[in-house]
Amino acid sequence: MGPEILLVRRLHLLAKQVLKSASSTKTQSSILSFFTSTSSVDGPVEATPIICKPKKRGKHSAEFSGACRNLFDIPSTSTHTTVMKSSQSASLNSSTTPTNSPSTREPPFLKEFKLIILTVLGQVGHVDDKCLFSEDDLEYVNCFKTLSVSAQQLYVRLFQRKHAWLCPAKLKYPEIAADLTPVISELQAVNFIQGEEELNDITEALNLLPDPAVKSLAKSLLRVSASKTSKTELISALVKHSKRPRSVFSNVNMQEVVMKKVCGLLGSWIRLGDEPRTVFTRIHLLYSLSLEDDEKPISGKTPMERLSEIKKRNKGSVSFPRYTIFRTNKIFRTKEDLIRYENAMKCEQDIKQAMATCDFKSALQIQEVETRRLETILRDEDISSHSTSLAPFLRPFTAWGVYTRLLYMGVEIHQQRGSYDDAVAGLSGLLEQTEYGVESRGRWWDRLAFHLYYHLEKPNEALDAILKGLADSFVKPGYRLALQQKAQMILKSRRNKTLYNRRSEFTVDAIREPPKVTIQEKELPSTPWGNGGQVAVRLALKHYRRSGFEEGVCEEGTLFTTLISLLFWDIIFKSGIPDVFSYPCQSAPLDFGYSSFYESRKEAFDDKLQELGEADNAKLQTLLETSWKEHEGDRCVGVKWTLFRDIDHAKGLLACLGSRVLCGIASLILKDQRHTRAGMPDLTVWSTRTNKFKIVVVKGAGDCKLSCKQMCWMDDLLRLGVKTEVCHIEASRKRLHETGNQLTSDSSQ
């Protein structure tokens, strides 16, 4: 019996067992809907949560069996909109499946691997990504489905690991098979695994050998004592020896001689085949375009990280919001577009790894080679025009977007190496264009002025750069204030008094001065961050509790983004906005953090702000509770579910804030999410007895100065009429008591 027939029978049995355990006809319809969403359909398909409980077979068994029979077939092209609710129950939970079901032999990580393939190569939205894969590529996918379950499991396990040569004898996966030899042979038969006979790189092969084998080989070939020589040095000497030119008296190829001896010592080694692995990596790359962290969209996750994300979701620790996938534009028009982006992403990851280990020389070499390669490719007018035709939030996923990031990484490398002329040249090049990285232009102008003044000692050029930055419409208030302050500092410099004549060219925006309070303690850590910062916050909380604020949370802006996201949830995940949702498992729309986030939903946001502004505390609390119960546990950028003890805790703060303050803060955050998430005061304290609250910036010892973004936030809060202040924690060797405006704390209390 062929493997395809076995697979069909397993899926057929799986369908029957699932429908037997469905709790109701409605649940069976939901299950059927989930699986048929991978087939050709003409309308929205909703994948709703499934809770399996034992119950007798329902009327949809035959239909569902047919759908499961085609579960892993790649469907034909179709254009439609898909409604996704990516949650724990979106795929079948084996713990609720009868023990005699074949699905118990298919673990969650394998199911999710298949789900990712189905999602990318199926019909999601209006764009079919199957065209990005050749017939040969799709053949590898079809070949994967014919493998036994054990072979599929082993392949996914190896796919999750670093792509390197492995010793089969050291591989231990007892849950797959006690003896992996036949499983490995099955994968080798279809070229999914390479054997040691395909290991052609001498350096790579030598590194696989144990130290004694390398020393023995060096002793026989180099005829030197290797007792006091490191393995790295011996490998370098052996590689150099293998490259020795042939003698005029002999036709012996020294490279072949060395490689033959190495292979004789190696034994059995395996590695995933390059071609099928590349296909599955590209599938995961497309799927991960929509995965975000709490800061910004990322697209460079490894296969291990991507599957880990989905594995958490299946365990119930992570679930995602409901939204409508609506795609109208292709980021990648052809396979070549995808390959260009993939190669650029690989180089970006290599540079990051080199920089993480402070290997800036290697990082610069990779950066320079890749930027030159991309410069040649991007001269193509068609490639450039396609990139600029995309919405700004899609451009980071193009080769041009990666190229821009590589240029700034080059600036960071030059800064670390002290090559400030090169850093200035790189920043100037970035600032000449306004198509990519526009949200970072404030940081670029600030960094350019800094290098010109401090490192290159060109104050006039630094002032010129500041003027250009202040005239740049993309520069946000925090960086605008930083540039203004930097200009004033340069103008007052004693090193060049003639600069004072340019003072009329510069002004400083009026910023309100926040009230200050000082708490003195006998003992206090000197560091403003880490444990010192935590101690400072605890002392501040202790002080404000004594002042009548029994509740307090230190989470900077997360406190307000949690409340705002819950109240504006339906608008954040609003349907009908093209391309902001591309695949399942998004915790925010792709335009989150861009100016278009507010602009494309302006009418809905403004209406909601007006509704909340007119609401009393009771209505605000009802709206918050309704959203909380409906979406609790769903992962959304800016939402931290563990921040409040429970919904009543959150409702207490909401009642203290009131509608006017809430809407004022919400308007600031929603209109400029990227630049308002930094600088928000650390601590919020409130009292449900008095309905009073206060927002506080806590400054520990050695951290006395407000950042420009903190100053802007304090100014905005004071303008809204919010009671806010800066709380300084200072060390004192003697007990002090409260005197006038000087607040002190007795450490013995």
Side-chain angles (χ1 to χ4, degrees):
M1 185 179 295
E4 290 189 3
I5 301 300
L6 286 172
L7 181 63
V8 169
R9 290 197 173 186
R10 281 195 290 267
L11 292 174
H12 186 78
L13 289 171
L14 168 62
K16 290 182 177 180
Q17 294 293 347
V18 170
L19 284 169
K20 282 182 180 181
S21 59
S23 60
S24 65
T25 303
K26 181 178 179 181
T27 304
Q28 294 172 5
S29 300
S30 299
I31 300 172
L32 180 60
S33 178
F34 173 75
F35 280 101
T36 55
S37 65
T38 62
S39 304
S40 180
V41 294
D42 296 322
V45 180
E46 184 171 353
T48 55
I50 303 169
I51 302 175
C52 295
K53 295 180 181 179
K55 194 162 184 173
K56 64 180 181 180
R57 178 174 175 164
K59 65 179 180 179
H60 294 289
S61 293
E63 268 188 286
F64 186 69
S65 298
C68 260
R69 194 175 290 118
N70 296 315
L71 173 60
F72 204 55
D73 290 336
I74 305 304
S76 59
T77 303
S78 175
T79 59
H80 65 280
T81 303
T82 306
V83 179
M84 296 301 303
K85 169 66 178 176
S86 300
S87 63
Q88 169 203 359
S89 52
S91 60
L92 301 178
N93 189 337
S94 59
S95 64
T96 59
T97 306
T99 56
N100 61 347
S101 170
S103 66
T104 57
R105 295 192 296 272
E106 193 170 274
F109 71 85
L110 178 56
K111 292 179 183 178
E112 300 304 341
F113 187 87
K114 293 180 177 181
L115 177 62
I116 290 173
I117 296 172
L118 282 168
T119 303
V120 174
L121 297 183
Q123 302 146 0
V124 179
H126 287 278
V127 181
D128 182 13
D129 287 331
K130 193 172 70 171
C131 66
L132 302 176
F133 298 88
S134 66
E135 290 297 327
D136 291 338
D137 295 337
L138 297 178
E139 187 58 37
Y140 284 121
V141 177
N142 290 326
C143 184
F144 178 82
K145 74 175 183 180
T146 66
L147 296 171
S148 66
V149 174
S150 297
Q152 290 178 355
Q153 289 184 61
L154 180 60
Y155 185 83
V156 176
R157 283 301 192 199
L158 298 181
F159 183 79
Q160 290 177 304
R161 300 175 63 152
K162 182 179 179 181
H163 191 216
W165 289 96
L166 303 168
C167 180
K170 295 181 179 180
L171 288 177
K172 303 294 181 184
Y173 291 109
E175 71 279 8
I176 297 176
D179 181 12
L180 292 175
T181 304
V183 185
I184 292 173
S185 298
E186 182 181 353
L187 289 170
Q188 281 183 310
V190 291
N191 297 322
F192 274 44
I193 281 183
Q194 298 174 330
E196 69 278 356
E197 64 277 359
E198 297 183 59
L199 179 57
N200 300 316
D201 186 275
I202 292 181
T203 304
E204 196 174 23
L206 286 168
N207 276 295
L208 296 177
L209 291 175
D211 291 4
V214 174
K215 291 181 178 181
S216 174
L217 189 62
K219 187 175 181 179
S220 64
L221 289 176
L222 304 178
R223 303 184 186 281
V224 296
S225 174
S227 57
K228 297 183 179 180
T229 309
S230 68
K231 180 180 179 180
T232 303
E233 293 171 333
L234 290 175
I235 290 175
S236 179
L238 286 167
V239 171
K240 185 177 180 180
H241 179 74
S242 70
K243 295 178 180 178
R244 193 176 61 182
R246 297 182 182 183
S247 168
V248 293
F249 303 105
S250 174
N251 289 325
V252 175
N253 187 326
M254 189 53 64
Q255 191 167 351
E256 292 180 359
V257 171
V258 175
M259 195 65 191
K260 185 176 180 180
K261 287 183 174 291
V262 172
C263 290
L265 297 170
L266 268 178
S268 179
W269 289 82
I270 61 169
R271 185 177 71 173
L272 288 187
D274 291 330
E275 291 186 6
R277 182 181 181 277
T278 297
V279 172
F280 291 117
T281 299
R282 285 177 187 156
I283 290 172
H284 281 73
L285 179 64
L286 283 170
Y287 188 85
S288 70
L289 287 177
S290 59
L291 288 178
E292 300 95 9
D293 59 13
D294 289 337
E295 291 297 323
K296 59 184 178 180
I298 56 176
S299 52
K301 287 193 174 183
T302 64
M304 177 71 173
E305 291 169 327
R306 297 179 197 118
L307 284 179
S308 175
E309 182 80 21
I310 307 306
K311 190 175 179 181
K312 288 178 184 177
R313 171 168 59 85
N314 234 25
K315 286 182 175 179
S317 59
V318 179
S319 60
F320 291 85
R322 180 189 300 271
Y323 51 79
T324 300
I325 293 173
F326 179 46
R327 297 167 61 190
T328 60
N329 290 294
K330 283 190 175 184
I331 301 175
F332 310 108
R333 299 167 298 172
T334 63
K335 181 179 179 179
E336 288 68 30
D337 282 348
L338 177 59
I339 292 173
R340 274 192 292 270
Y341 174 71
E342 178 190 26
N343 292 336
M345 282 297 304
K346 286 179 181 177
C347 288
E348 185 178 8
Q349 293 302 310
D350 291 342
I351 295 171
K352 287 180 180 178
Q353 290 175 5
M355 292 177 69
T357 58
C358 297
D359 186 2
F360 298 110
K361 183 178 180 180
S362 298
L364 183 60
Q365 290 175 347
I366 300 170
Q367 190 267 348
E368 289 177 341
V369 170
E370 182 61 14
T371 50
R372 283 196 296 268
R373 186 186 72 82
L374 283 173
E375 283 169 0
T376 303
I377 294 172
L378 297 176
R379 289 194 188 104
D380 188 321
E381 184 63 30
D382 180 56
I383 295 174
S384 297
S385 61
H386 171 66
S387 296
T388 54
S389 69
L390 295 172
F393 59 85
L394 295 179
R395 293 175 193 171
F397 305 119
T398 65
W400 261 111
V402 180
Y403 175 68
T404 305
R405 295 197 294 274
L406 289 177
L407 288 179
Y408 187 70
M409 292 174 78
V411 170
E412 292 181 321
I413 295 168
H414 288 309
Q415 289 173 174
Q416 294 292 335
R417 291 167 58 88
S419 305
Y420 299 111
D421 284 308
D422 293 327
V424 166
L427 287 166
S428 299
L430 285 167
L431 289 164
E432 286 176 359
Q433 56 83 36
T434 56
E435 299 291 345
Y436 301 91
V438 294
E439 304 294 336
S440 302
R441 291 179 68 83
R443 182 173 78 249
W444 295 346
W445 283 118
D446 183 64
R447 185 53 46 181
L448 178 61
F450 178 82
H451 288 319
L452 286 171
Y453 179 68
Y454 283 101
H455 296 126
L456 302 186
E457 297 184 353
K458 297 179 178 180
N460 274 300
E461 292 186 26
L463 290 174
D464 292 338
I466 290 173
L467 282 175
K468 292 179 181 178
L470 293 174
D472 191 334
S473 61
F474 293 110
V475 176
K476 300 299 180 180
Y479 283 111
R480 180 179 176 82
L481 181 60
L483 289 171
Q484 290 174 340
Q485 291 184 346
K486 194 174 267 83
Q488 295 301 314
M489 183 269 301
I490 295 174
L491 290 170
K492 295 176 183 178
S493 172
R494 295 181 179 180
R495 290 188 292 178
N496 193 342
K497 295 183 179 181
T498 59
L499 296 174
Y500 193 67
N501 298 328
R502 299 189 60 180
R503 65 186 184 280
S504 60
E505 301 176 41
F506 299 90
T507 58
V508 180
D509 295 338
I511 297 291
R512 293 168 179 82
E513 185 76 16
K516 295 180 177 62
V517 64
T518 301
I519 301 173
Q520 295 184 332
E521 284 288 329
K522 290 178 65 175
E523 296 181 1
L524 188 68
S526 59
T527 56
W529 307 113
N531 293 332
Q534 294 172 11
V535 170
V537 169
R538 286 200 296 270
L539 291 172
L541 279 168
K542 181 180 177 182
H543 161 69
Y544 286 107
R545 286 195 185 102
R546 289 201 301 264
S547 300
F549 297 97
E550 70 271 13
E551 298 289 352
V553 173
C554 180
E555 278 290 343
E556 298 186 10
T558 308
L559 186 76
F560 291 97
T561 57
T562 296
L563 294 176
I564 292 166
S565 296
L566 287 170
L567 291 170
F568 290 84
W569 190 286
D570 292 341
I571 303 175
I572 293 172
F573 296 95
K574 178 179 170 63
S575 303
I577 302 173
D579 303 314
V580 298
F581 294 109
S582 57
Y583 286 115
C585 302
Q586 289 185 224
S587 57
L590 290 179
D591 62 348
F592 196 74
Y594 290 84
S595 58
S596 61
F597 172 71
Y598 178 79
E599 293 166 359
S600 60
R601 304 165 179 81
K602 185 179 185 305
E603 184 177 353
F605 275 135
D606 290 348
D607 290 345
K608 187 71 172 182
L609 285 168
Q610 183 176 352
E611 177 191 350
L612 296 178
E614 297 172 353
D616 56 17
N617 283 345
K619 184 175 180 181
L620 287 176
Q621 291 176 326
T622 300
L623 290 171
L624 180 66
E625 184 172 7
T626 301
S627 181
W628 181 294
K629 290 180 177 179
E630 182 178 354
H631 307 295
E632 185 174 6
D634 286 355
R635 182 178 178 183
C636 174
V637 169
V639 174
K640 188 173 182 179
W641 292 103
T642 58
L643 196 60
F644 297 100
R645 294 190 299 270
D646 49 35
I647 181 59
D648 291 330
H649 191 206
K651 287 164 65 176
L653 172 59
L654 196 61
C656 295
L657 292 174
S659 59
R660 189 180 64 83
V661 171
L662 176 70
C663 291
I665 295 175
S667 179
L668 290 169
I669 292 176
L670 293 171
K671 289 178 180 178
D672 192 5
Q673 185 276 335
R674 182 186 294 266
H675 293 94
T676 54
R677 64 189 174 200
M680 188 73 178
D682 318 75
L683 180 64
T684 302
V685 293
W686 69 95
S687 171
T688 54
R689 296 194 301 267
T690 62
N691 270 1
K692 293 182 179 180
F693 73 98
K694 188 174 286 189
I695 301 177
V696 185
V697 172
V698 180
K699 291 292 182 182
D703 179 32
C704 300
K705 187 178 179 182
L706 290 174
S707 70
C708 290
K709 291 184 177 181
Q710 284 178 324
M711 293 170 67
C712 289
W713 254 116
M714 298 295 276
D715 179 66
D716 289 329
L717 292 173
L718 289 170
R719 180 168 45 81
L720 290 170
V722 175
K723 289 187 177 181
T724 182
E725 62 190 25
V726 181
C727 180
H728 293 278
I729 312 294
E730 294 181 355
S732 176
R733 293 187 176 277
K734 60 181 179 179
R735 295 191 183 192
L736 297 174
H737 300 282
E738 182 172 344
T739 57
N741 293 328
Q742 181 84 5
L743 292 176
T744 63
S745 174
D746 191 336
S747 60
S748 64
Q749 292 180 357

